[in-house]
Every structure is written in structure tokens, then in C-alpha cells.
């Protein structure tokens, strides 16, 4: 196999790879062996027709396309190693010669790791967020717990009021005709939630259980269903059930039920402490992000588009994996949102660029500061992972392969670079 490397502008390179005829032949033999049991020629039992006879019957290139698909990935991987380039993108493959009996020649255009020229990264100054916790913050946090412990009670002796949780039947009409999606039975609705068209919920206030009430609304001009956008509509509604949410009193009894403390004052003090810790952590993260953005702004680097696209594609793949954990497929998500893989990749490019820039400058800072991941650093990270997953540290270590270990060390070094920038900030 021969490899020619051509450096292009903007941190791109083109690898021209030639796969020898003998390697192509081996790939063809492999494809033939994998598919021959599906082939039947006159005079031969199924799967027994010689390769040459099959090629004579169907053409010399019958196995060529599959053989190329078989041979190119390994050839590309070998070419990457031989080139000595630090490749940071998926390749753009183009074939320049694919003919039976000849070497296969293809080109792979790739992005290579950009060089970073650091500017100032120490002594930087950025705005910091306040970590003050007010009485209002504490009360808001306690009210969240109060909401979680609320109970609902059905009421039958009054009409609908603001804040009620109701069940509703409705039929919607535009120009006197029922429209798709305009019918509902036993539909749960919280009055004041603004989950229906503006004005709908307010007109239900005062409606009694079982009373039929007509509601007049106008669909927004930007409504997702174009045939309804901007049109007036009439809904015939009937309230089936009214429920009211009752919140527990904020007293010592409430505190003892939702926490380990016996009094409300003790509970409030604990909530304040936890809020202060959370705000301090959030403020530190925000300051780190702002400082890294400054370091990026002060640095010089040229990020190739292919690198950004590869990172964006990886981010979309990561999103697809998270969807799977939630029981959704990417196909379902795209059907619900009307998006495509390519449109999602395009949306992620700005974030992908920032992620790349941040990583590159932090790695450059790490190099400038001669930062390394010690065995103690690695063990501490493994211990943390073991604690998170409820496993023994040695068991976690045994599951980490060489590539993952290098990634782990790289992340440790990058975090050390963040600490250098943070500690040196004004």
C-alpha cells in the first residue's frame, strides 16, 4: 500500500491511498466466501459455483464494490498511522480508481490538529456571580418541597376558581366546522397554567360542574397548525371535575416530615447552607467558563470546518444515546420535531466550535505548564467513579482499556489547566 500526504490550507490534509491488486483480490475472495452460499448457477449446487464462473456470468466487478467497502477502512487506518498526522475529523472519501484487476485508489480529506498560539492566560479578570443567599431564596426552596407534599381534594360545592385542577370535555369549531385535535374528554387542566390558547382558561372561571359553556378564542398568528393560525374558534366545554391543591403548613411538623430536623428554623438553616454550597459551586463553574472564554479570545488558532462538523456529529450521536436511555429513538424524536440529522448537526456547530476551542487552549496551557496526570490523580478519579457506580476501584480499573485510560489522563490534565487559570485570576 502506498500513501501520499498533501498538506492543504486551513489545517486540512489529503491522503492519497493506493491499495495493491493483491490486497483487493484478498478482499474479493473474502466477500465471495461470505456470499457464495446465496449464489446458484446452472450446473452447480447452491454455494458451489466457482468465483470465476460467477464473475463470468455476472461481470468481473460483481464483488468489487463490497470488496472495496471491506478493504478501505483498514487501508485508511493504516494510512493514518503511516502519515504521522494527528487527525481530528472523520475523512471525506473520494474514489479515483475502482476497476477490476487494478489497484483501488482513493483520497481521504481530513482535518489535522490545529496549532494554538496562546495569549494571556494568567491574571485574567472576569465578572463573578453573587453567592449571597437571601431569605427569599430559602423560602422559594422550601416552597418547592411544600408543593411536592401537596394533596388534592375534590370539591363539588362551588364553581371553577383560578388555580383549580379540573377535568374537562371540549369540542372546538372554526367557521362552524370541527377541526382535527379540537376534541378532548376528561382532559386535565390547571387553571392559570396558560397551557391552552390565551383567554381559554380565564373564561372557565365561574363554570359549574356539568355546565356547558361556550368559549371564544383566537388562535395565535404563529400557531403550529397553519390552517388554524390567526383564526377565531369556538369551544363547547363541560367541566367534569374540580380539584383544589392543598399545601401543608410551613411549621415544625412539616419540617420533621420532610427532613431530619425537628424544627422549621433548623430546616431553614440547613436549606440555607445547601443553597450557599450550590451557589458557590455554580459561581465557580461560571467563573471558570468565563475565564476559559477569555483564554480562547486571547489565543490564535484556525479550526477547520471538518473538525467542527465531526464534533457536531459526535454531539448528535451522544444526544441519540441519551434518548435511548429515555426509551426514545432518534427516528421518533425527528418525527416529533420535524428535524433531520443534518439540521441537528448544523444547529450544534456553534457549540461544537466553542467546545473544540476550549479543549485546545486548555491542552495548550497544560503543555505550557508541563502538567501531567500522576498515578495518584488517576487513582483518585477511579475511586470517584467506583463510588458513583457502587463498584470496587480495582474492578473499575480493569474495565478501562488503554485508549480510555489515555482519555482519562487527558481529562485530568485539562482540569489541572483550568485550575491554573482559575487560581491565577484576579
Amino acid at each position: 500500500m502506498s500513501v501520499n500526504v498533501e498538506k492543504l490550507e486551513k489545517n486540512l490534509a489529503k491522503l492519497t491511498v493506493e491499495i495493491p491488486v493483491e490486497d483487493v483480490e484478498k478482499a474479493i475472495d473474502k466477500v465471495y466466501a461470505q456470499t457464495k452460499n446465496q449464489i446458484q448457477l446452472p450446473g452447480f449446487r447452491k454455494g458451489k459455483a466457482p468465483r470465476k464462473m460467477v464473475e463470468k456470468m455476472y461481470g468481473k466487478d460483481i464483488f468489487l464494490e463490497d470488496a472495496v467497502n471491506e478493504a478501505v477502512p483498514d487501508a485508511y487506518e493504516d494510512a493514518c498511522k503511516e502519515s504521522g498526522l494527528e487527525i481530528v475529523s472523520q475523512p471525506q472519501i473520494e474514489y479515483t480508481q475502482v476497476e477490476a484487476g487494478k489497484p483501488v485508489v482513493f483520497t481521504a480529506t481530513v482535518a489535522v490538529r490545529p496549532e494554538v498560539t496562546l495569549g494571556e492566560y494568567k491574571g485574567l479578570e472576569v465578572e463573578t456571580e453573587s453567592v449571597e443567599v437571601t431569605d427569599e431564596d430559602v423560602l422559594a426552596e422550601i416552597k418547592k418541597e411544600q408543593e411536592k407534599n401537596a394533596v388534592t381534594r375534590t370539591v363539588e360545592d362551588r364553581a371553577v376558581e383560578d388555580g383549580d385542577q379540573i377535568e374537562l370535555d371540549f369540542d372546538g369549531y372554526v367557521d362552524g366546522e370541527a377541526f382535527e385535535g379540537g376534541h378532548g374528554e376528561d382532559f386535565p387542566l390547571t387553571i392559570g397554567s396558560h397551557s391552552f390558547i390565551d383567554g381559554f382558561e380565564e373564561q372557565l372561571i365561574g363554570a359549574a360542574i356539568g355546565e356547558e359553556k361556550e368559549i371564544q378564542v383566537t388562535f395565535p398568528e404563529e400557531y403550529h397548525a397553519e390552517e388554524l393560525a390567526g383564526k377565531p374558534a369556538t369551544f363547547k366545554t363541560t367541566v367534569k371535575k374540580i380539584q383544589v391543591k392543598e399545601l401543608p403548613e410551613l411549621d415544625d411538623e412539616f419540617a420533621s416530615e420532610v427532613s431530619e430536623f425537628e424544627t422549621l428554623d433548623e430546616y431553614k438553616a440547613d436549606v440555607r447552607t445547601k443553597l450557599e454550597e450550590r451557589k458557590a459551586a455554580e459561581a465557580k463553574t461560571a467563573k471558570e467558563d468565563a475565564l476559559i472564554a477569555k483564554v480562547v479570545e486571547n489565543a490564535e488558532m484556525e479550526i477547520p470546518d471538518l473538525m467542527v462538523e465531526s464534533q457536531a456529529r459526535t454531539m448528535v450521536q451522544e444526544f441519540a444515546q441519551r434518548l435511548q436511555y429515555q426509551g426514545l429513538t432518534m427516528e421518533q424524536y425527528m418525527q416529533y420535531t420535524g428535524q433531520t440529522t443534518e439540521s441537528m448537526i448544523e444547529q450544534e456547530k456553534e457549540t461544537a466550535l466553542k467546545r473544540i476551542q476550549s479543549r485546545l487552549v486548555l491542552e495548550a496551557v497544560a503543555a505550557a505548564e508541563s502538567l501531567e496526570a500522576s498515578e495518584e490523580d488517576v487513582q483518585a478519579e477511579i475511586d470517584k467513579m467506583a463510588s458513583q457506580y457502587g463498584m470496587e476501584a480495582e474492578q473499575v480499573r480493569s474495565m478501562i482499556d488503554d485508549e480510555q485510560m489515555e482519555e482519562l489522563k487527558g481529562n485530568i490534565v485539562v482540569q489541572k489547566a483550568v485550575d491554573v487559570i482559575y487560581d491565577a485570576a484576579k
Side-chain angles (χ1 to χ4, degrees):
M1 185 185 77
S2 67
V3 181
N4 179 63
V5 179
E6 179 185 357
K7 295 287 185 70
L8 306 176
E9 293 181 342
K10 297 184 178 179
N11 293 308
L12 295 177
K14 181 185 285 187
L15 310 181
T16 301
V17 185
E18 182 178 303
I19 306 175
V21 173
E22 55 268 27
D23 289 347
V24 178
E25 283 294 314
K26 288 177 184 176
I28 291 174
D29 282 339
K30 186 174 181 180
V31 170
Y32 165 70
Q34 292 170 343
T35 59
K36 66 179 182 179
N37 288 334
Q38 304 166 27
I39 301 171
Q40 187 167 12
L41 293 184
F44 296 94
R45 283 182 296 151
K46 190 174 184 180
K48 298 299 181 181
R51 175 186 147 190
K52 297 300 182 186
M53 293 295 293
V54 177
E55 289 176 337
K56 186 175 181 180
M57 174 69 73
Y58 294 106
K60 288 184 179 181
D61 58 355
I62 179 65
F63 300 115
L64 188 57
E65 182 178 347
D66 289 337
V68 169
N69 292 335
E70 177 73 33
V72 164
D74 288 342
Y76 169 71
E77 186 175 343
D78 291 342
C80 291
K81 293 175 183 175
E82 187 175 327
S83 72
L85 299 174
E86 191 171 352
I87 295 171
V88 291
S89 75
Q90 294 298 314
Q92 288 185 339
I93 301 288
E94 291 186 14
Y95 295 99
T96 57
Q97 180 171 283
V98 180
E99 296 180 39
K102 293 185 178 181
V104 169
V105 182
F106 68 91
T107 63
T109 302
V110 294
V112 296
R113 181 185 178 84
E115 289 187 7
V116 177
T117 302
L118 285 172
E120 291 295 326
Y121 62 88
K122 288 183 176 180
L124 302 178
E125 188 173 0
V126 295
E127 290 185 10
T128 56
E129 295 183 2
S130 170
V131 295
E132 179 189 0
V133 174
T134 65
D135 291 343
E136 289 75 17
D137 294 331
V138 173
L139 182 59
E141 197 70 15
I142 291 174
K143 280 185 174 293
K144 291 179 186 177
E145 198 64 38
Q146 186 186 31
E147 286 283 342
K148 291 179 187 175
N149 288 271
V151 295
T152 54
R153 178 174 58 84
T154 300
V155 295
E156 299 178 347
D157 57 349
R158 65 167 175 78
V160 174
E161 296 179 359
D162 192 21
D164 285 349
Q165 298 172 346
I166 68 171
E167 288 183 7
L168 182 73
D169 289 353
F170 60 84
D171 287 289
Y173 301 87
V174 170
D175 297 330
E177 299 289 332
F179 58 87
E180 185 177 353
H183 174 76
E185 293 182 7
D186 299 329
F187 189 89
L189 176 63
T190 298
I191 304 301
S193 64
H194 304 291
S195 52
F196 262 52
I197 304 165
D198 284 349
F200 185 97
E201 295 168 26
E202 292 84 345
Q203 293 179 61
L204 284 170
I205 294 174
I209 295 174
E211 174 190 354
E212 185 175 295
K213 186 170 185 178
E214 283 196 3
I215 291 175
Q216 310 293 329
V217 294
T218 300
F219 283 99
E221 294 291 342
E222 311 83 31
Y223 196 66
H224 62 85
E226 292 183 8
E227 67 276 10
L228 300 176
K231 291 192 174 181
T234 298
F235 283 88
K236 294 181 179 179
T237 68
T238 304
V239 176
K240 304 285 286 297
K241 182 190 286 189
I242 301 173
Q243 291 183 310
V244 61
K245 182 192 291 186
E246 294 184 342
L247 299 173
E249 291 292 328
L250 296 181
D251 52 21
D252 291 346
E253 182 180 353
F254 169 76
S256 66
E257 288 178 354
V258 301
S259 74
E260 59 189 284
F261 303 100
E262 294 300 319
T263 69
L264 184 61
D265 286 342
E266 290 175 314
Y267 177 45
K268 284 182 177 180
D270 182 65
V271 169
R272 181 180 294 276
T273 298
K274 289 176 179 174
L275 277 176
E276 287 170 346
E277 291 172 352
R278 188 199 308 169
K279 278 201 168 188
E282 290 171 350
K284 183 175 187 293
T285 299
K287 185 176 180 180
E288 286 176 348
D289 291 344
L291 286 168
I292 293 167
K294 276 268 191 183
V295 178
V296 169
E297 185 182 332
N298 293 342
E300 293 180 10
M301 56 188 139
E302 188 171 31
I303 311 298
D305 292 341
L306 268 183
M307 188 179 186
V308 175
E309 182 166 343
S310 287
Q311 178 66 51
R313 194 172 294 275
T314 297
M315 291 164 64
V316 170
Q317 289 169 351
E318 291 170 351
F319 177 71
Q321 289 175 341
R322 292 196 296 273
L323 282 180
Q324 281 187 322
Y325 296 145
Q326 299 170 19
L328 276 177
T329 66
M330 194 64 159
E331 289 72 22
Q332 288 171 322
Y333 177 81
M334 289 191 289
Q335 184 178 0
Y336 297 151
T337 61
Q339 292 184 289
T340 65
T341 300
E342 293 309 313
S343 69
M344 292 178 70
I345 289 171
E346 196 62 34
Q347 289 175 5
E348 293 289 359
K349 283 186 177 179
E350 184 177 347
T351 304
L353 175 61
K354 291 179 180 177
R355 187 178 291 187
I356 291 167
Q357 291 172 326
S358 297
R359 183 77 181 197
L360 286 174
V361 296
L362 290 173
E363 289 175 349
V365 169
E369 296 288 326
S370 301
L371 303 176
E372 295 181 351
S374 67
E375 179 54 35
E376 290 77 13
D377 295 328
V378 172
Q379 189 59 50
E381 197 64 29
I382 288 175
D383 289 342
K384 189 189 301 181
M385 293 166 65
S387 177
Q388 288 174 342
Y389 294 108
M391 299 168 64
E392 294 295 327
E394 286 309 308
Q395 186 180 3
V396 172
R397 184 182 281 270
S398 68
M399 297 169 64
I400 300 175
D401 60 27
D402 291 344
E403 186 177 345
Q404 291 167 331
M405 180 57 76
E406 287 306 307
E407 183 179 357
L408 177 66
K409 290 179 179 178
N411 290 338
I412 291 171
V413 168
V414 162
Q415 184 55 52
K416 285 189 173 186
V418 173
D419 294 340
V420 166
I421 296 167
Y422 185 89
D423 293 341
K426 293 179 181 178

